[in-house]
Amino acid sequence: MAPKHHPTPLSGGDRKALAKELGRSRAMTTILAGQAAEARAKGEALIRQADKLLCESFNERLWADGGPIDPSPTIDQAINGGYAWLEIECSRCKARREVDLAALRHPSSTFVHDLASRLRCSKCAKAGRRPSATLLQLAPRSRQARPET
C-alpha cells in the first residue's frame, strides 16, 4: 500500500502543526504495535495454559471412567499443552507403548479419543490380528530412555 500523501500547507504554522501531528501518529503506531504484540503473547500463553488444563482434565476423566472420553483434546491442543505423547495398551496382548502425537499421519484436528480405534498393536499385527488399542493417558514426554547422540 502506498503511503498516504498529505499536501503541505502554505503557511509556516500549519506546516509545523502538520509535522507535529504526523510525528505523533508515527509514535502512536509504534506504541500500538508493541501493545498488540504483548497482548498476542499473553493470549498465546493463556491458550497454552488452557490446552494443558484440558489435557490434564482428559487424563483424570480417562483414569476415573476407564475408557475413551468424548470430548477430548485434539492432537494440536495436546501438543500445544505440552502433552505430545499418548500411552496406549493393546486390548489383546496388553503390551504398552507410547505414540508420538507429532509423528502421526492423522490431521492435527483429530480428537485424541478417535485414535483409539485407529491405532493398532504391531506385535499382534504380525500374528495376523488387528485389535484396537486402549488409551491410558496423555504424557508430557516419553518414559523410554532415548540414546544420546
Side-chain angles (χ1 to χ4, degrees):
M1 184 181 204
K4 188 172 181 180
H5 174 72
H6 297 285
T8 307
L10 296 177
S11 73
D14 289 343
R15 280 194 308 267
K16 288 179 187 176
L18 177 63
K20 188 175 181 181
E21 287 301 317
L22 287 174
R24 283 184 187 158
S25 177
R26 290 184 184 114
M28 186 55 75
T29 301
T30 305
I31 291 169
L32 292 175
Q35 289 176 350
E38 184 179 316
R40 182 172 305 280
K42 285 181 184 176
E44 289 171 355
L46 287 173
I47 290 171
R48 225 178 353 269
Q49 178 68 20
D51 289 343
K52 180 181 178 192
L53 292 172
L54 181 62
C55 292
E56 290 173 359
S57 170
F58 175 74
N59 280 344
E60 290 297 323
R61 284 184 293 145
L62 194 63
W63 180 82
D65 296 341
I69 307 297
D70 181 22
S72 65
T74 63
I75 293 174
D76 262 352
Q77 289 173 327
I79 292 171
N80 189 40
Y83 288 83
W85 293 88
L86 177 64
E87 294 181 13
I88 61 172
E89 180 180 68
C90 176
S91 59
R92 181 177 171 270
C93 68
K94 304 298 181 197
R96 290 184 176 209
R97 70 171 220 195
E98 295 172 343
V99 178
D100 184 6
L101 292 176
L104 289 178
R105 293 184 181 176
H106 298 286
S108 58
S109 59
T110 303
F111 289 102
V112 171
H113 75 272
D114 287 340
L115 295 175
S117 62
R118 299 177 186 180
L119 297 174
R120 304 286 182 210
C121 176
S122 56
K123 290 180 183 178
C124 293
K126 291 177 186 173
R129 295 182 172 82
R130 304 272 302 164
S132 61
T134 304
L135 302 181
L136 298 177
Q137 71 174 357
L138 288 168
R141 63 184 177 278
S142 175
R143 294 180 191 233
Q144 300 171 354
R146 291 185 177 169
E148 294 184 16
T149 55

